[in-house]
Amino acid sequence: MTKIHSVAFIGGGRVARILMEGWTRSDTTPERVVVVEPELTALDSLRQIAPQVEVADLDQISDCDLIFLAVHPPLMSEVLEALAGRLPSDTLVVSLVPKFRGSALAAKIGVSRWVRMIPNAPSAVGAGYNPLCFSEAIDGETKDALTAIFAPLGEQPEVAEEDLEAYAVITAMGPTYFWYQIEALRELAVSFGLHQKAADEAISKMLGGAVRCLLTQGPESMDLIPVRPLESLESTVKEGYETKLRGIFNKLTG
């Protein structure tokens, strides 16, 4: 397989929209995109990004070069049951769903060429961080084809499968831990008199530098700034990280 020409999404919700928007922005959308999605609202949202998307059922996707499993985890077992016996054994399947191990889903649907990937939302603008792992049946040529189709979405580090659930909590859900704070800063910056473009540039540069500083110098970086206006809230936020995020991780790995 030198190139992937056609893809099918089982599930046309947020994750499908993220990938489609990334490909659309970079003008790298596969020649044919098929989606299996019963919810009309989800289909409408997807077609706003990619009007050319074809709607199909499970019996009409087996000829696609690549099939994405892009459903919510609670629906995954039902989808795997429905796929059993429908796909050729050499079908290339990419699961975007945490919790379900590749060997288990492969045995369930009768394929050997599987990939698991944990995408994150910045893939929509080509800035994603999408850890993945490959089954042993994925040869070098197929891996190159997958690397090529994922490249416009951002980085795609190959990691151990047992680490994917950690990435689901840290990178896939991670933007939500900060986006509301960043948006609040943007609004304040404009209210202080900065133009939006200047505010956005300042915040972007500040955040990039802050991450680099902390990862380079460690916790002592926090002593470099004498005034911490939100210090009284820090313990509450840290407690939320520990209880909420550890609870999600335990659920994904339990």
Side-chain angles (χ1 to χ4, degrees):
M1 176 181 289
T2 58
K3 186 177 180 181
I4 294 170
H5 297 278
S6 58
V7 302
F9 286 95
I10 300 177
R14 290 182 178 88
V15 176
R17 293 202 304 271
I18 288 168
L19 271 59
M20 286 301 304
E21 186 161 357
W23 288 329
T24 300
R25 283 176 177 269
S26 59
D27 195 26
T28 58
T29 304
E31 296 168 20
R32 181 177 179 230
V33 180
V34 180
V35 62
V36 179
E37 173 54 67
E39 293 293 334
L40 294 180
T41 301
L43 282 174
D44 288 342
S45 296
L46 188 60
R47 279 181 159 164
Q48 288 178 16
I49 299 169
Q52 76 276 23
V53 167
E54 303 173 27
V55 180
D57 59 39
L58 292 179
D59 291 319
Q60 298 172 309
I61 62 174
S62 61
D63 62 338
C64 289
D65 295 333
L66 172 62
I67 295 176
F68 286 100
L69 303 179
V71 298
H72 292 299
L75 298 176
M76 186 66 159
S77 294
E78 179 182 338
V79 167
L80 295 179
E81 290 282 354
L83 280 175
R86 292 179 185 263
L87 302 176
S89 60
D90 63 347
T91 301
L92 181 58
V93 175
V94 175
S95 173
L96 306 176
V97 185
K99 189 172 183 177
F100 290 82
R101 289 300 175 101
S103 57
L105 69 88
K108 193 72 173 178
I109 62 179
V111 302
S112 59
R113 298 198 306 157
W114 57 265
V115 181
R116 289 189 61 204
M117 185 170 78
I118 303 294
N120 78 333
S123 298
V125 295
Y129 190 79
N130 306 312
L132 49 70
C133 67
F134 301 95
S135 71
E136 294 182 357
I138 301 289
D139 60 26
E141 186 179 351
T142 302
K143 186 177 289 190
D144 289 343
L146 288 165
T147 298
I149 198 172
F150 293 145
L153 306 174
E155 296 185 45
Q156 43 181 307
E158 187 173 351
V159 303
E161 185 179 14
E162 57 265 28
D163 291 335
L164 287 177
E165 279 64 43
Y167 283 109
V169 177
I170 301 302
T171 61
M173 303 176 199
T176 67
Y177 313 150
F178 305 102
W179 273 345
Y180 73 96
Q181 299 179 66
I182 296 169
E183 184 60 23
L185 277 181
R186 294 180 76 220
E187 294 173 357
L188 276 174
V190 172
S191 76
F192 294 161
L194 291 180
H195 291 293
Q196 189 69 71
K197 183 177 180 180
D200 290 351
E201 182 177 4
I203 291 170
S204 177
K205 297 294 186 181
M206 178 274 293
L207 288 171
V211 171
R212 181 177 177 181
C213 186
L214 177 66
L215 297 184
T216 300
Q217 297 194 184
E220 59 266 27
S221 299
M222 298 182 187
D223 293 330
L224 297 177
I225 303 174
V227 179
R228 291 162 64 174
L230 302 182
E231 185 174 8
S232 63
L233 303 177
E234 291 176 10
S235 61
T236 301
V237 173
K238 288 181 179 179
E239 182 181 355
Y241 270 63
E242 175 62 29
T243 57
K244 297 291 186 180
L245 303 191
R246 188 172 296 280
I248 292 172
F249 177 75
N250 289 340
K251 185 176 181 179
L252 290 176
T253 57

